[in-house]
Short mmCIF file of all heavy atoms in Angstrom, two decimals:
data_model
loop_
_atom_site.label_atom_id
_atom_site.label_comp_id
_atom_site.label_asym_id
_atom_site.label_seq_id
_atom_site.Cartn_x
_atom_site.Cartn_y
_atom_site.Cartn_z
N LYS A 1 0.83 -1.22 0.00
CA LYS A 1 0.00 0.00 0.00
C LYS A 1 0.86 1.26 0.00
O LYS A 1 0.33 2.36 -0.13
CB LYS A 1 -0.90 0.01 1.23
CG LYS A 1 -1.87 -1.16 1.29
CD LYS A 1 -2.67 -1.11 2.59
CE LYS A 1 -3.47 -2.39 2.79
NZ LYS A 1 -3.69 -2.70 4.21
N LEU A 2 2.17 1.09 0.18
CA LEU A 2 3.09 2.24 0.31
C LEU A 2 2.60 3.23 1.36
O LEU A 2 2.54 4.43 1.13
CB LEU A 2 3.31 2.93 -1.03
CG LEU A 2 4.27 2.20 -1.97
CD1 LEU A 2 4.51 3.02 -3.23
CD2 LEU A 2 5.61 1.90 -1.29
N GLU A 3 2.20 2.68 2.53
CA GLU A 3 1.80 3.58 3.61
C GLU A 3 2.54 3.24 4.89
O GLU A 3 3.01 2.13 5.09
CB GLU A 3 0.28 3.54 3.81
CG GLU A 3 -0.25 2.19 4.24
CD GLU A 3 -1.78 2.16 4.30
OE1 GLU A 3 -2.44 2.87 3.50
OE2 GLU A 3 -2.32 1.39 5.12
N LEU A 4 2.65 4.26 5.75
CA LEU A 4 3.35 4.11 7.02
C LEU A 4 2.51 3.26 7.98
O LEU A 4 1.33 3.54 8.19
CB LEU A 4 3.60 5.50 7.61
CG LEU A 4 4.40 5.59 8.91
CD1 LEU A 4 5.81 5.07 8.71
CD2 LEU A 4 4.44 7.04 9.38
N VAL A 5 3.12 2.21 8.56
CA VAL A 5 2.42 1.32 9.48
C VAL A 5 2.71 1.70 10.93
O VAL A 5 1.81 1.75 11.76
CB VAL A 5 2.82 -0.15 9.25
CG1 VAL A 5 2.08 -1.07 10.21
CG2 VAL A 5 2.57 -0.57 7.81
N LYS A 6 3.99 1.95 11.26
CA LYS A 6 4.31 2.36 12.63
C LYS A 6 5.65 3.07 12.67
O LYS A 6 6.46 2.95 11.76
CB LYS A 6 4.28 1.18 13.59
CG LYS A 6 5.43 0.20 13.47
CD LYS A 6 5.42 -0.81 14.63
CE LYS A 6 4.25 -1.76 14.55
NZ LYS A 6 4.28 -2.79 15.60
N ILE A 7 5.85 3.81 13.77
CA ILE A 7 7.12 4.48 14.00
C ILE A 7 7.68 3.97 15.33
O ILE A 7 6.99 4.03 16.35
CB ILE A 7 6.96 6.02 14.03
CG1 ILE A 7 6.40 6.53 12.70
CG2 ILE A 7 8.31 6.67 14.32
CD1 ILE A 7 6.19 8.02 12.65
N VAL A 8 8.89 3.46 15.30
CA VAL A 8 9.56 2.96 16.49
C VAL A 8 10.51 4.04 16.99
O VAL A 8 11.27 4.62 16.21
CB VAL A 8 10.34 1.67 16.16
CG1 VAL A 8 11.12 1.17 17.37
CG2 VAL A 8 9.39 0.59 15.66
N GLN A 9 10.45 4.31 18.31
CA GLN A 9 11.27 5.37 18.91
C GLN A 9 12.26 4.76 19.90
O GLN A 9 11.91 4.57 21.06
CB GLN A 9 10.37 6.38 19.66
CG GLN A 9 9.29 7.02 18.80
CD GLN A 9 9.81 8.14 17.94
OE1 GLN A 9 10.99 8.46 17.97
NE2 GLN A 9 8.94 8.73 17.14
N PRO A 10 13.47 4.45 19.46
CA PRO A 10 14.41 3.79 20.38
C PRO A 10 14.90 4.69 21.52
O PRO A 10 15.40 4.19 22.52
CB PRO A 10 15.59 3.39 19.48
CG PRO A 10 15.06 3.47 18.09
CD PRO A 10 14.02 4.55 18.10
N GLY A 11 14.79 6.01 21.37
CA GLY A 11 15.33 6.89 22.39
C GLY A 11 16.82 7.10 22.25
O GLY A 11 17.48 7.55 23.18
N ALA A 12 17.36 6.78 21.08
CA ALA A 12 18.78 7.02 20.82
C ALA A 12 18.94 8.39 20.17
O ALA A 12 18.03 8.87 19.49
CB ALA A 12 19.33 5.94 19.90
N LYS A 13 20.10 9.01 20.37
CA LYS A 13 20.35 10.32 19.73
C LYS A 13 20.65 10.16 18.25
O LYS A 13 20.34 11.03 17.44
CB LYS A 13 21.53 11.02 20.42
CG LYS A 13 21.26 11.45 21.84
CD LYS A 13 22.34 12.43 22.31
CE LYS A 13 22.15 12.79 23.77
NZ LYS A 13 22.61 11.70 24.67
N TRP A 14 21.33 9.05 17.89
CA TRP A 14 21.71 8.86 16.49
C TRP A 14 21.84 7.38 16.21
O TRP A 14 22.78 6.73 16.67
CB TRP A 14 23.02 9.60 16.20
CG TRP A 14 23.36 9.72 14.74
CD1 TRP A 14 22.93 8.91 13.72
CD2 TRP A 14 24.21 10.70 14.12
NE1 TRP A 14 23.45 9.33 12.52
CE2 TRP A 14 24.23 10.42 12.74
CE3 TRP A 14 24.94 11.78 14.62
CZ2 TRP A 14 24.98 11.19 11.84
CZ3 TRP A 14 25.68 12.53 13.73
CH2 TRP A 14 25.70 12.25 12.35
N ILE A 15 20.86 6.83 15.48
CA ILE A 15 20.85 5.40 15.16
C ILE A 15 21.93 5.12 14.10
O ILE A 15 22.02 5.82 13.09
CB ILE A 15 19.47 4.99 14.62
CG1 ILE A 15 18.41 5.15 15.71
CG2 ILE A 15 19.49 3.56 14.08
CD1 ILE A 15 16.98 5.08 15.20
N SER A 16 22.73 4.08 14.35
CA SER A 16 23.73 3.68 13.36
C SER A 16 23.26 2.49 12.54
O SER A 16 23.62 2.35 11.37
CB SER A 16 25.05 3.31 14.05
OG SER A 16 24.85 2.16 14.89
N SER A 17 22.47 1.63 13.15
CA SER A 17 22.20 0.34 12.54
C SER A 17 21.02 -0.31 13.25
O SER A 17 20.69 0.04 14.38
CB SER A 17 23.43 -0.57 12.71
OG SER A 17 23.85 -0.54 14.07
N PHE A 18 20.37 -1.25 12.55
CA PHE A 18 19.35 -2.07 13.20
C PHE A 18 19.24 -3.37 12.43
O PHE A 18 19.72 -3.49 11.31
CB PHE A 18 18.00 -1.35 13.26
CG PHE A 18 17.29 -1.24 11.93
CD1 PHE A 18 16.40 -2.22 11.50
CD2 PHE A 18 17.53 -0.15 11.10
CE1 PHE A 18 15.76 -2.12 10.26
CE2 PHE A 18 16.90 -0.03 9.86
CZ PHE A 18 16.01 -1.03 9.45
N ASP A 19 18.63 -4.38 13.06
CA ASP A 19 18.39 -5.64 12.37
C ASP A 19 17.08 -6.22 12.90
O ASP A 19 16.77 -6.09 14.08
CB ASP A 19 19.55 -6.61 12.61
CG ASP A 19 19.58 -7.76 11.61
OD1 ASP A 19 19.00 -7.61 10.50
OD2 ASP A 19 20.17 -8.81 11.92
N VAL A 20 16.32 -6.85 11.99
CA VAL A 20 15.05 -7.44 12.37
C VAL A 20 15.29 -8.92 12.67
O VAL A 20 15.96 -9.62 11.90
CB VAL A 20 14.01 -7.31 11.22
CG1 VAL A 20 12.63 -7.77 11.70
CG2 VAL A 20 13.94 -5.88 10.71
N HIS A 21 14.75 -9.39 13.79
CA HIS A 21 14.86 -10.80 14.16
C HIS A 21 14.21 -11.67 13.07
O HIS A 21 13.19 -11.27 12.50
CB HIS A 21 14.17 -11.02 15.51
CG HIS A 21 14.33 -12.40 16.04
ND1 HIS A 21 13.43 -13.41 15.77
CD2 HIS A 21 15.28 -12.95 16.83
CE1 HIS A 21 13.83 -14.53 16.38
NE2 HIS A 21 14.94 -14.27 17.03
N PRO A 22 14.79 -12.85 12.78
CA PRO A 22 14.22 -13.71 11.73
C PRO A 22 12.74 -14.05 11.94
O PRO A 22 12.01 -14.27 10.97
CB PRO A 22 15.06 -14.98 11.77
CG PRO A 22 16.32 -14.62 12.48
CD PRO A 22 16.02 -13.44 13.35
N GLY A 23 12.29 -14.05 13.20
CA GLY A 23 10.87 -14.29 13.47
C GLY A 23 9.97 -13.12 13.10
O GLY A 23 8.76 -13.26 13.00
N GLY A 24 10.56 -11.95 12.95
CA GLY A 24 9.84 -10.79 12.43
C GLY A 24 9.22 -9.86 13.46
O GLY A 24 8.76 -8.78 13.09
N ASP A 25 9.18 -10.25 14.74
CA ASP A 25 8.46 -9.42 15.72
C ASP A 25 9.36 -8.61 16.65
O ASP A 25 8.88 -7.88 17.51
CB ASP A 25 7.54 -10.29 16.58
CG ASP A 25 6.43 -10.93 15.75
OD1 ASP A 25 5.98 -10.27 14.79
OD2 ASP A 25 6.04 -12.07 16.05
N ASN A 26 10.67 -8.76 16.51
CA ASN A 26 11.60 -8.03 17.38
C ASN A 26 12.69 -7.39 16.53
O ASN A 26 13.04 -7.91 15.46
CB ASN A 26 12.26 -8.98 18.39
CG ASN A 26 11.26 -9.53 19.40
OD1 ASN A 26 11.07 -8.98 20.47
ND2 ASN A 26 10.58 -10.62 19.04
N LEU A 27 13.22 -6.27 17.00
CA LEU A 27 14.39 -5.74 16.32
C LEU A 27 15.38 -5.21 17.33
O LEU A 27 15.05 -4.85 18.46
CB LEU A 27 14.04 -4.73 15.23
CG LEU A 27 13.34 -3.43 15.44
CD1 LEU A 27 14.33 -2.36 15.88
CD2 LEU A 27 12.78 -2.97 14.10
N VAL A 28 16.65 -5.21 16.90
CA VAL A 28 17.72 -4.70 17.74
C VAL A 28 18.33 -3.50 17.02
O VAL A 28 18.47 -3.51 15.80
CB VAL A 28 18.74 -5.81 18.10
CG1 VAL A 28 19.51 -6.30 16.90
CG2 VAL A 28 19.67 -5.37 19.20
N VAL A 29 18.63 -2.45 17.79
CA VAL A 29 19.09 -1.17 17.24
C VAL A 29 20.41 -0.79 17.90
O VAL A 29 20.55 -0.92 19.12
CB VAL A 29 18.04 -0.06 17.53
CG1 VAL A 29 18.47 1.26 16.91
CG2 VAL A 29 16.65 -0.47 17.03
N GLY A 30 21.35 -0.34 17.10
CA GLY A 30 22.61 0.19 17.65
C GLY A 30 22.69 1.68 17.41
O GLY A 30 22.15 2.19 16.43
N SER A 31 23.39 2.39 18.31
CA SER A 31 23.47 3.84 18.16
C SER A 31 24.89 4.36 18.37
O SER A 31 25.69 3.74 19.07
CB SER A 31 22.51 4.54 19.13
OG SER A 31 23.05 4.55 20.43
#
């Protein structure tokens, strides 16, 4: 649909990287 579904707010000042867990429901973010 090319529409925004959600916005995740990690609380980091500057995100460097992230990865989605293979199960699809979790992600890990580095800053």
Side-chain angles (χ1 to χ4, degrees):
K1 299 177 190 151
L2 282 185
E3 63 186 31
L4 184 63
V5 180
K6 73 171 69 176
I7 301 179
V8 177
Q9 303 281 0
K13 292 195 185 76
W14 192 336
I15 295 167
S16 64
S17 49
F18 72 91
D19 197 22
V20 187
H21 185 270
D25 295 326
N26 293 267
L27 62 82
V28 67
V29 182
S31 77

